[in-house]
Every structure is written in C-alpha cells, then in structure tokens.
Amino acid sequence: MNPIRTLRARFALWLTVLILAFLSAFGGYVYVSQHRSAYNAVDDALMLGAEQVLAALYEDDGSILMPLPDPNAPDLVEFIALAERGLTLRVLASNGEVLQAIGLFSHEPLPVPLPTQPAFHTIPEANEVDRIRVYTIPILENNQIIGWVQTAQSLANAEDSLDRLRTALLVGVGALSLLAGFAGYFLAARALAPIDKITATARRISAEDLSARLNLPDHGDEVSRLADTFDDMLARIENGFARERQFTADASHELRTPLTAMQTILDFMRAGERPAAEYRQALDDISEEADRLQNLVEGLLILARGEGNLKLQEDEIDLTLLLADLTDSLRPLAEAKRLSLTFERPPSIRLFADPDALIRLFVNLLDNAIKYTERGGIIVSAGEEEGDAVVEIADTGIGIPAEHLPHIFERFYRVDASRSSRGAGLGLAIAAQIVQGHRGRLEVQSEAGKGTRFTVHLPK
Ligand code: ADP
C-alpha cells in the first residue's frame, strides 16, 4: 500500500497544509503590522526631536537665533538624552554647512536633498553602515529659509528586531505545521486502527470459515458502529451460508431416497426371471418414485427461483372466482376420501397478485388439508379485513402438535415422516414464500386430533 495514499497520511497532509495556511496568514499579518509600527516609531522620534530643536532656536521675543558653528555643539547639549537614545540632531546653515550637531552621525555627510517642506528621506545601506532615516525641516524667517534642523537615526535596531521577528515567525509557523501534521498522523492512525482490524478480518473470512468477528469494544463512535454493522453482516452471512448448506444437504438426501428406491427395485427385478404381475408392480412402484422425484424437483425449483428476487407478475384478479374454481377441481380428491370440501363463497374480492403463485399457494394448503384429514371435511372461507384479503382453510384433521408449529414453514420440515409419506416438507415453505412475496402474512392455528386452520392475509 502506497503510504502517501493512506487515509491517515492524507489527513495529516491536509492538516499540515491548512495549519500552514492559517499560521502563514496570521504571521504575515503580525509581521506587517510590526513592520509598520517599528518604522512609525522611528519617524515619530525623528519628528519630535526636530521640533524640539527648532523650538529651542526661538528667542523669547519670537526671533530666531541661529547657533554659531561649533563642533562641541553647546546649544544642543540639552538634547544629550535624545542623542544617547540614538538620535542625531543637527542644525544646518542656509548653505548646508553643519553648524552644530550631537549624536552618532554628527559630522557624517548625510546625502539627502534639503527640502523646502519638512521631509523624510532614507539613506540606503552603504559601506557597512545600515540604512539611515533622516528628517529635515527648514528654518524659516520671513518666509526665507535660513537653515535646517535635521534629525537622523539608524534603522538597524528596527530592522534587526523585524528580522528576528521574521525568523521566529518562519521557524514557528513551519515547526507548528509539521507538529500538527505529525499529531494529525498519529491521531488518525489511532482513530483508524480498527479499520485495519476490519480489513484483516475481512481478509481472513472465506466461505469455509465465516466465524471470524471483530468484537471491538463499543465506544459508540462511527468506527464502532461500522464494526458492529460488519459483525452483524457476518452473522447474517454465516447464517445464510449455514442454511444454504443445510438446504443442499437436505435436498440431496431427499433426491437420493426415490433414486435409491428405484435402483433397488430395478436390481431386484434384474436378478432373475419374475412373473409378469411382479413386473407390473415394479413398474407401478418405479412410476410412483418418479412422481415423487418430479414433485421434489419442481418444489426445489420453485423455492430456488423465489430465492433470488421473487418476481411475481401482478394482475388484478378475482380471488372469489379463483377459490371457487380451485375448490371445484379439488373436490373429487376430497370426496375420494369421503371428506366434504365447502367454499363459503363471499362477494367478489379483487386484489393485485400473481394468479399462478396464488393457485400454487392454495393448492398446497388444500392438498395438505385433504391429506391430513380422515374424517369430517374442509371449509374454505374468504373476506376482507383492514384492507387485506383474508382466506381461511380449516380442516377437521389430525392437527399439528404445538411443538412442531414453529417449524412447519421450514423447508423439508415434516411433523413425522410416517404420516406424510408422500410429501417432502416443501409445500408450506413454498406457501410461506409466496405469501411473503406478496407482502402478506401466513398464520396457523392447530390442535392435535381436532384440526388445523391456516389463515392467509394478502394486502390488496
Ligand atoms: P409435506 O409435503 O410433508 O406435506 P408441508 O411443508 O406441506 O410438507 O407440510 C409440513 C408438515 O406440516 C407436514 O409434514 C405435516 O405434518 C404438517 N401439516 C401441514 N398441513 C397440515 C394440516 N392441514 N393438518 C395437519 N398437519 C399438517
């Protein structure tokens, strides 16, 4: 697996990029505002210094007294405190000559134009001297420029601290983003660890062994829910496979029984010459087994077909008519056993359903009722109840013992093989499947020795 493509790596990468973007924006804002205020502070100091020097040049009567040229700058001594803080103060004559100056750049040439209005200039870095900020104001007397007051300060301090700030921000932002990335990676790895377990378990699962489960502790979070769902799904699949295996085993056992019977009859007949009557009997027996086989295969086919997606064609049918026809055609079967088969015919009941499937459903139920009744008869009734069509098939037969009732709709389930020698136990399973396919309900009530009542509810 490509490590960059794992979810945790992508999560960490995104986190790094996002944090980097946020911190960069924040750092940029901090740097720009620090930059502005550092330069503003220098300019303010320069302006204040220059104005103080200019004010000092005024006499009490309002006239201006230009200082005499003096390298010791006696007139500026009162500003020594400003000079000690790095400010250079100069008074220039009208020809640009420095009359008096104190501070670092007292007598340096400061190559800036001498303006007619107060102005700032920046002298670029040269000969290992850092940039210098210069403020110059003209000294006016009767609108005549008689000299200039100039203040200057190196920008080294401001720029040094800005440089340090920039380095700190760059390192800080980079380190924090990386840290966030690592933290994100480990958090994601922790959060996603169960997913790796799910993957490993899914790999271990095969059709032969579906018993693997995650059994993760339930933290109530998304991954726990996923793991739970996964375990539930495994349980359902395991169940489904087990049922399928059971079905296949049962089916092959059931198919083998009539085949073995036929084989036995054939072997016996072939062993030697037999009277003609025995051959006839043997053919009858084989034919009976073949019938059984055919019924079984048909039943299995119906069940298997319904297993995938029960595609019932839906037509509007008249249930009353359908039941009347069915009871009429099955009546001879009942009468052959001296049983009555009564249909308590209701007014027409119409519903949307698959007619072939419904015929199969009621034939199975009626066939059972006739098969498992020795005395009395069968009453079929139909009606409507809360929007459902309801059909009842009640017999006065041998009934089904209570302990068997929960199982009779299972495939191949027979209450006892001796009393239902003809059936394979598929009839009710098919009936249940058909009712389910119509989103209906199939219920049974029975009392051993008294009779059985099947109730079919079909939504209309
Ligand atoms: P079979 O082909 O054996 O009849 P079914 O699935 O139709 O299989 O029925 C399952 C079992 O339920 C039968 O073996 C039978 O014992 C019992 N049964 C079904 N219908 C009735 C009934 N009307 N009266 C008594 N027992 C019944």
Side-chain angles (χ1 to χ4, degrees):
M1 188 170 25
N2 181 349
I4 296 297
R5 304 198 52 179
T6 60
L7 211 53
R8 71 196 70 156
R10 270 188 284 163
F11 177 73
L13 205 67
W14 272 108
L15 198 64
T16 312
V17 169
L18 278 180
I19 299 263
L20 191 66
F22 285 139
L23 287 184
S24 298
F26 176 70
Y29 169 76
V30 167
Y31 183 77
V32 166
S33 53
Q34 252 338 84
H35 189 276
R36 194 174 300 146
S37 72
Y39 284 100
N40 282 348
V42 169
D43 284 0
D44 287 349
L46 289 175
M47 229 152 71
L48 204 68
E51 272 156 17
Q52 280 178 348
V53 172
L54 187 63
L57 294 180
Y58 281 90
E59 291 291 284
D60 289 343
D61 62 4
S63 63
I64 294 174
L65 184 67
M66 288 294 281
L68 296 171
D70 187 338
N72 293 324
D75 291 357
L76 294 179
V77 166
E78 57 177 301
F79 299 110
I80 194 84
L82 291 182
E84 278 167 358
R85 271 192 260 138
L87 212 62
T88 297
L89 306 149
R90 316 205 300 183
V91 179
L92 276 63
S94 57
N95 62 359
E97 182 199 347
V98 179
L99 296 174
Q100 292 199 7
I102 57 168
L104 199 57
F105 307 117
S106 299
H107 299 289
E108 298 268 332
L110 294 175
V112 295
L114 295 169
T116 54
Q117 297 286 329
F120 286 101
H121 297 96
T122 304
I123 302 170
E125 195 177 330
N127 300 332
E128 309 213 341
V129 179
D130 293 295
R131 297 203 301 155
I132 303 169
R133 185 78 167 157
V134 182
Y135 181 59
T136 316
I137 31 175
I139 309 168
L140 295 172
E141 194 173 46
N142 300 327
N143 281 333
Q144 288 287 311
I145 296 179
I146 57 166
W148 285 272
V149 172
Q150 207 169 42
T151 46
Q153 188 174 349
S154 163
L155 288 174
N157 270 347
E159 285 177 352
D160 276 357
S161 56
L162 282 176
D163 277 353
R164 276 198 302 277
L165 178 67
R166 193 173 51 215
T167 314
L169 284 174
L170 283 178
V171 172
V173 166
L176 278 178
S177 308
L178 277 182
L179 209 66
F182 280 120
Y185 186 86
F186 284 108
L187 284 180
R190 241 185 91 108
L192 295 175
I195 304 242
D196 283 343
K197 196 165 174 200
I198 294 180
T199 313
T201 310
R203 271 213 194 100
R204 234 177 336 131
I205 290 165
S206 63
E208 283 69 47
D209 182 16
L210 286 162
S211 62
R213 292 289 182 279
L214 293 169
N215 288 329
L216 290 187
D218 185 7
H219 297 303
D221 56 15
E222 292 86 340
V223 177
S224 295
R225 280 207 298 280
L226 173 65
D228 264 3
T229 313
F230 189 78
D231 277 349
D232 286 351
M233 184 189 73
L234 282 181
R236 282 199 305 274
I237 293 179
E238 187 180 21
N239 212 311
F241 264 87
R243 265 186 308 157
E244 215 50 47
R245 222 170 281 140
Q246 184 61 43
F247 180 63
T248 315
D250 290 347
S252 33
H253 177 259
E254 294 298 328
L255 289 170
R256 208 176 297 127
T257 312
L259 283 175
T260 312
M262 287 187 205
Q263 195 65 51
T264 313
I265 299 168
L266 289 172
D267 285 350
F268 184 69
M269 296 316 290
R270 266 209 303 253
E273 202 60 30
R274 297 275 157 193
E278 270 188 41
Y279 282 114
R280 265 197 301 280
Q281 181 59 44
L283 284 178
D284 285 349
D285 290 348
I286 289 175
S287 159
E288 204 173 289
E289 295 301 333
D291 276 351
R292 246 175 87 144
L293 208 51
Q294 194 175 354
N295 281 338
L296 201 59
V297 170
E298 247 163 47
L300 286 174
L301 271 179
I302 292 166
L303 278 174
R305 232 180 281 129
E307 209 42 23
N309 201 358
L310 193 66
K311 268 206 208 83
L312 297 163
Q313 86 193 63
E314 303 244 312
D315 291 338
E316 190 179 15
I317 57 169
D318 185 334
L319 188 63
T320 309
L321 221 55
L322 184 138
L323 288 171
D325 285 350
L326 263 183
T327 40
D328 284 346
S329 53
L330 287 176
R331 192 161 292 112
L333 204 63
E335 280 166 356
K337 284 183 77 177
R338 293 175 206 288
L339 299 173
S340 63
L341 174 53
T342 325
F343 178 38
E344 294 176 345
R345 189 180 177 131
S348 147
I349 301 172
R350 309 193 74 84
L351 81 162
F352 281 93
D354 179 334
D356 291 340
L358 284 199
I359 290 172
R360 190 172 304 127
L361 159 70
F362 293 121
V363 165
N364 282 359
L365 295 178
L366 284 169
D367 188 51
N368 277 348
I370 298 169
K371 207 159 54 171
Y372 300 112
T373 304
E374 296 308 328
R375 205 171 312 114
I378 296 112
I379 297 175
V380 179
S381 59
E384 293 181 50
E385 211 174 84
E386 293 166 6
D388 285 358
V390 183
V391 179
E392 275 185 10
I393 295 170
D395 64 52
T396 53
I398 56 175
I400 303 167
E403 70 269 24
H404 293 285
L405 278 179
H407 302 291
I408 54 168
F409 298 112
E410 291 167 15
R411 301 143 158 185
F412 298 114
Y413 192 86
R414 274 170 295 187
V415 171
D416 74 70
S418 63
R419 70 176 195 166
S420 61
S421 55
R422 275 206 307 134
L426 290 181
L428 285 182
I430 292 171
Q433 183 173 287
I434 291 170
V435 173
Q436 237 168 42
H438 284 85
R439 290 171 298 280
R441 226 161 62 234
L442 176 56
E443 289 162 1
V444 59
Q445 289 167 297
S446 186
E447 206 176 320
K450 290 222 165 130
T452 306
R453 175 196 305 269
F454 282 93
T455 314
V456 181
H457 293 256
L458 293 171
K460 291 187 11 160

